[in-house]
Amino acid sequence: MKLSDLLYPDNPQRRQNVIDLHQQLLACMQLNFKATNELIGALNAHLGTKIIHIKMKEGGTIKENCDIIIHAMNDIQQKLGNFDKEMKEKLEPIMYQKLYDIKQPELEKIATAHKIVSIILGEVTATAGAIVVKLIGSNIIKVTVNKLVALLAQIGLSVLGCIGISVLGLGIEIILHAILGAVERDHLLACIQSYEQHLSEFKEASETYQCAINEVRALVKDKAE
């Protein structure tokens, strides 16, 4: 037994807690990378964007990978914003407002969106109008992405930001050295508290984001059948 464990008998359990929380955070990030790539795929296929798919940086830190997702989400928001601007310029004000009116029948909004997308892009897929209504005519994606971006930025700037995501493939002692650089009680507690604080909010926001992307995926699948 290590001297530090004799002095702080709760350290072994705290170390395991740190590892478990790190695994949960990493799993959550992996799902967000997947969901973001699915959204990018839908935009590229149906709205003519050319957004590059993202990939986790295996040798990078948590902050570096947070920044990759943030950059992709900002790019998505910019492309949707530009598309929205084009629609506003080409539609009559009343017709444009109807796209955002929750009281308007969705099928009518989709038909209107499909026509305007055809004008902007020329040849379009059958799903294009529905994608526009879901991603631009609804605030769900925008609000969800904004919240997730804010949380990713917080995580990147926190004590967790400098932790490498590849430490999970190493032995337990190397993991702890990479995460903490020490095994003192205060360091372990601070790391656990930071993980727990950010993980709870991050999980909730990620689930909402992934549900929104699942709706888009189901929409695409339904139109394809």
Side-chain angles (χ1 to χ4, degrees), residues 11-186:
N11 270 2
Q13 182 58 48
R14 291 193 180 103
R15 292 192 199 109
Q16 189 58 50
N17 287 345
V18 169
I19 294 169
D20 291 343
L21 290 167
H22 183 71
Q23 289 174 322
Q24 291 179 50
L25 181 68
L26 182 58
C28 208
M29 289 189 68
Q30 288 172 329
L31 288 174
N32 282 318
F33 267 85
K34 181 180 178 182
T36 301
N37 278 329
E38 288 178 350
L39 179 55
I40 289 172
L43 291 174
N44 289 347
H46 302 287
L47 295 187
T49 60
K50 296 180 180 179
I51 305 173
I52 299 173
H53 284 76
I54 57 175
K55 184 178 180 181
M56 288 190 78
K57 188 176 180 180
E58 296 295 339
T61 63
I62 287 176
K63 183 181 186 307
E64 286 174 325
N65 282 281
C66 284
D67 287 344
I68 290 172
I69 302 179
I70 289 172
H71 179 77
M73 288 181 170
N74 286 338
D75 197 12
I76 288 168
Q77 293 281 55
Q78 182 182 13
K79 295 295 191 300
L80 289 175
N82 290 341
F83 205 90
D84 183 44
K85 185 178 179 181
E86 282 193 74
M87 289 199 303
K88 189 174 183 178
E89 291 173 351
K90 295 181 184 298
L91 279 175
E92 291 292 330
I94 294 177
M95 294 298 293
Y96 176 76
Q97 289 170 9
K98 284 184 177 180
L99 288 177
Y100 288 88
D101 188 351
I102 59 174
K103 295 179 182 179
Q104 289 293 317
E106 186 161 294
L107 288 178
E108 288 185 18
K109 291 197 287 186
I110 290 174
T112 300
H114 188 82
K115 289 178 182 178
I116 195 63
V117 174
S118 298
I119 294 173
I120 294 172
L121 298 179
E123 187 177 349
V124 296
T125 66
T127 313
I131 292 287
V132 166
V133 171
K134 179 65 69 175
L135 297 181
I136 298 178
S138 167
N139 282 328
I140 295 176
I141 291 289
K142 183 177 180 180
V143 171
T144 302
V145 168
N146 285 344
K147 183 173 182 179
L148 198 53
V149 165
L151 287 172
L152 285 164
Q154 288 176 21
I155 292 171
L157 293 173
S158 73
V159 67
L160 308 178
C162 62
I163 299 172
I165 65 166
S166 61
V167 295
L168 290 179
L170 308 176
I172 184 169
E173 293 302 327
I174 301 178
I175 288 175
L176 294 170
H177 179 75
I179 292 176
L180 302 170
V183 293
E184 281 82 358
R185 173 179 174 276
D186 290 345

